[in-house]
Amino acid sequence: MKTDVFISGGGVGGLTLALKLVQRGVDVVVAERLTNKTPVYKGELLQPKSMQIFDRLGLFDAIHSSANEIKVLDMLELSSSLKVRDQSYMDYSVLPGKYDAAYMIHHEELKKVLRDAAAEYGNFHYYSGTACKGFTEKAAILQKGDDKFEVEADYFIGAEGRTSVTRKDMGIEVKQTLYNHHFLTVTFPRAETFKDGKIISTYNRFLGLFPLPDQQVRSVYLIPEGDYQELKKKPISHFHKLYTDLAPAVDGYVQQLKDWKKIQLMIPVMYHAPSYVKGNKVIIGDAAHAVHPMAGEGMNMAIQDADVLGELLADMLEQGDASDDNLTWYEKVRYRRAEHVIQLSHLAALAYSFPFKTVSYFRQKTFERMEEDSVLHFKQMLNVSGLGMWKENFRDRIIQGGFMPVRTTDLKPDMKELKYYTKNDDYPWKVEGLK
Ligand SMILES: Cc1cc2nc3c(=O)[nH]c(=O)nc-3n(C[C@H](O)[C@H](O)[C@H](O)COP(=O)(O)OP(=O)(O)OC[C@H]3O[C@@H](n4cnc5c(N)ncnc54)[C@H](O)[C@@H]3O)c2cc1C
């Protein structure tokens, strides 16, 4: 079999890339080793840049109607006696334009939307229950049951997530950073009126609640590393109480979880591959980088990788004789952005990694200042959104530390939009030219 682009892995990254390519007339084979839905919880929060990408792919309405829109993340810091000590907000509506919210969507529902949209094109070939086992010089070696076959392609993309066969074949090694904490994660019913995200913490506890559609809520609860086995021996009522202590709003709902079976352990890791490209092979998404889930970025990074690489591959194939060296455009655009998001997520993780009252006090002050200072608030939301990048400077840190007064003058929307990535920033080879 022969195709233009072979994609190993039909996760969100692989499917976004496939859709982008088939819409441009490129022939694509996707091999996905699973036949059914993934049994583990994965990313479900779509940041604004991902919505912009899906809008350009004609999927804004389909995703919007299957998702719960989140405009505001409430950040509640509780005292030791579990009274609200401080409340601040991360408000997406400080972002001007159409993409001024995040969206919670069931992971498998998003994959279905992408797969169905791609399946409308005759040049999309999806092989489920088919694992990529490795590569010959010219082809990917696939296995479905006992059958082995090969797919030749101009380009081979590793979108297999953390354990990437393609990354291994490229000889790229990643060095993982682990954290001193893990998470319990589970989805359960919620009240109809509970629609904004909530992050609730005390000096030594953390609960994140992210409302999904269908009156469900996805939750993450921080536990010290190694506590999971002991916790699971306790009655489920112990788990319910961990949640209702911090979030009375889930009382009457979390109790609908009757045993520990649905509650999964999530182990955060961080890594960034030293490069994404070798010859005609490229890695995207979790194959290339993993981030601590605190900032809700993992899935978005995969989507953003797919967008840039998809545009580049389609342009290269359209040109016919473009050199493989052009693939480094993808790395040039995405590497710096991914590194910034990895560091942002890492900092957010550190803010909750140390169970001390002084850390909790400084965290609360930092969030308060971020909300009060218009520039800091915009920078934070912009950097999280993926729509642009505006790094914090020394003055920002001084303000955040409370050593200078906050800025009260609001930035004008057109000034804010100057910080957004333009199409030329996303796809610079269109201006500078392919080799
Ligand atoms: C257990 C877990 C929990 C997570 N929870 C969160 C969270 O709560 N919030 C958050 O923001 N992010 C979370 N993430 C991260 C987020 O889900 C990922 O960043 C995102 O899914 C990455 O997309 P991807 O397409 O790169 O990889 P994946 O979503 O991992 O998709 C890879 C696909 O490739 C397939 N595959 C693997 N190997 C092969 C092979 N050899 N041949 C063929 N197919 C193959 C897999 O079956 C899978 O379908 C989680 C990740 C994991 C692993």
Side-chain angles (χ1 to χ4, degrees):
M1 197 189 303
K2 170 92 178 71
T3 185
D4 295 329
V5 178
F6 168 77
I7 302 173
S8 174
V12 165
L15 289 171
T16 305
L17 176 62
L19 176 61
K20 181 127 190 168
L21 290 169
V22 294
Q23 286 188 347
R24 292 276 306 268
V26 175
D27 197 78
V28 175
V29 169
V30 176
E32 167 53 53
R33 73 174 170 196
L34 297 178
T35 37
N36 290 318
K37 296 176 179 182
T38 169
V40 292
Y41 286 111
K42 287 199 175 185
E44 298 184 313
L45 183 86
L46 287 172
Q47 297 286 0
K49 178 72 180 180
S50 302
M51 290 305 280
Q52 182 192 59
I53 291 166
F54 290 139
D55 200 8
R56 289 178 185 163
L57 292 169
L59 294 182
F60 186 89
D61 291 340
I63 290 172
H64 191 272
S65 63
S66 308
N68 176 53
E69 184 181 88
I70 295 191
K71 284 272 190 204
V72 168
L73 276 177
D74 289 338
M75 323 276 287
L76 296 168
E77 192 78 30
L78 310 187
S79 64
S80 309
S81 56
L82 305 177
K83 299 272 179 309
V84 177
R85 203 175 64 192
D86 192 65
Q87 182 165 17
S88 50
Y89 302 94
M90 281 172 65
D91 188 351
Y92 281 95
S93 50
V94 301
L95 300 168
K98 183 174 179 183
Y99 313 107
D100 61 352
Y103 292 84
M104 280 296 289
I105 181 165
H106 290 285
H107 190 83
E108 287 297 329
E109 176 62 26
L110 177 61
K111 278 165 61 180
K112 184 174 181 310
V113 170
L114 291 167
R115 227 173 17 238
D116 288 353
E120 287 178 19
Y121 296 82
N123 43 335
F124 175 67
H125 315 283
Y126 182 80
Y127 291 84
S128 84
T130 305
C132 177
K133 293 295 191 185
F135 299 87
T136 65
E137 209 166 293
K138 281 188 170 172
I141 306 161
L142 305 186
Q143 182 161 5
K144 184 177 173 109
D146 291 335
D147 289 346
K148 272 198 173 177
F149 58 104
E150 292 185 3
V151 176
E152 283 185 33
D154 293 337
Y155 300 102
F156 296 92
I157 315 302
E160 310 101 331
R162 293 181 187 178
T163 48
S164 168
V165 177
T166 312
R167 187 180 71 218
K168 195 166 170 224
D169 185 85
M170 292 160 78
I172 295 174
E173 296 202 0
V174 293
K175 214 170 108 212
Q176 295 199 352
T177 299
L178 294 167
Y179 292 85
N180 66 353
H181 55 266
H182 293 166
F183 290 96
L184 299 177
T185 186
V186 67
T187 292
F188 58 89
R190 64 167 165 89
E192 203 177 339
T193 49
F194 179 8
K195 292 204 152 187
D196 283 332
K198 278 191 198 308
I199 288 177
I200 307 156
S201 49
T202 68
Y203 79 95
N204 62 353
R205 294 171 71 181
F206 170 96
L207 172 65
L209 294 167
F210 303 94
L212 281 155
D214 320 332
Q215 292 177 40
Q216 305 272 308
V217 59
R218 168 84 181 272
S219 65
V220 285
Y221 186 83
L222 187 144
I223 57 170
E225 178 196 2
D227 272 17
Y228 181 56
Q229 294 308 332
E230 282 307 306
L231 264 174
K232 272 205 315 184
K233 290 182 190 154
K234 299 195 172 164
I236 190 69
S237 54
H238 177 80
F239 174 80
H240 299 154
K241 189 160 174 347
L242 293 177
Y243 274 46
T244 53
D245 273 357
L246 296 184
V250 301
D251 199 4
Y253 295 93
V254 69
Q255 289 86 348
Q256 293 178 46
L257 294 166
K258 297 293 180 205
D259 53 49
W260 286 90
K261 274 190 210 130
K262 283 194 176 165
I263 301 162
Q264 293 181 5
L265 178 69
M266 186 164 83
I267 301 176
V269 295
M270 171 177 89
Y271 58 78
H272 199 181
S275 62
Y276 301 163
V277 177
K278 193 167 179 192
N280 63 349
K281 293 197 180 78
V282 186
I283 45 174
I284 66 168
D286 276 15
H289 36 61
V291 283
H292 189 284
M294 193 62 87
E297 295 285 356
M299 183 169 75
N300 296 281
M301 290 167 79
I303 293 163
Q304 291 159 28
D305 287 351
D307 176 59
V308 173
L309 181 63
E311 193 72 24
L312 177 62
L313 284 172
D315 286 348
M316 286 168 66
L317 285 157
E318 213 166 76
Q319 187 160 311
D321 62 350
S323 150
D324 289 355
D325 293 349
N326 285 295
L327 291 170
T328 52
W329 278 115
Y330 156 66
E331 197 170 284
K332 272 187 204 143
V333 176
R334 285 297 305 153
Y335 204 92
R336 205 173 62 96
R337 296 186 191 182
E339 185 60 29
H340 186 232
V341 171
I342 289 168
Q343 292 312 325
L344 211 115
S345 302
H346 183 61
L347 273 182
L350 292 184
Y352 291 97
S353 291
F354 304 102
F356 304 118
K357 288 188 176 165
T358 40
V359 175
S360 150
Y361 174 79
F362 281 115
R363 182 170 66 220
Q364 173 199 330
K365 286 286 154 217
T366 307
F367 285 137
E368 248 174 47
R369 290 250 145 181
M370 197 202 303
E371 186 200 328
E372 288 165 4
D373 186 282
S374 54
V375 178
L376 275 176
H377 198 167
F378 175 66
K379 281 189 178 185
Q380 171 70 12
M381 297 319 291
L382 177 75
N383 292 335
V384 162
S385 75
L387 290 170
M389 196 201 293
W390 192 7
K391 290 186 178 175
E392 280 89 1
N393 56 26
F394 185 64
R395 185 176 176 200
D396 295 326
R397 297 287 181 224
I398 298 283
I399 292 172
Q400 213 160 8
F403 304 108
M404 264 177 83
V406 294
R407 291 159 285 200
T408 47
T409 44
D410 207 1
L411 294 165
K412 299 264 180 309
D414 51 344
M415 279 184 68
K416 289 180 175 178
E417 277 174 3
L418 285 178
K419 300 292 177 186
Y420 282 12
Y421 296 128
T422 62
K423 280 197 174 171
N424 289 345
D425 295 326
D426 286 347
Y427 317 131
W429 62 89
K430 286 186 191 281
V431 189
E432 298 187 35
L434 292 173
K435 289 174 224 159

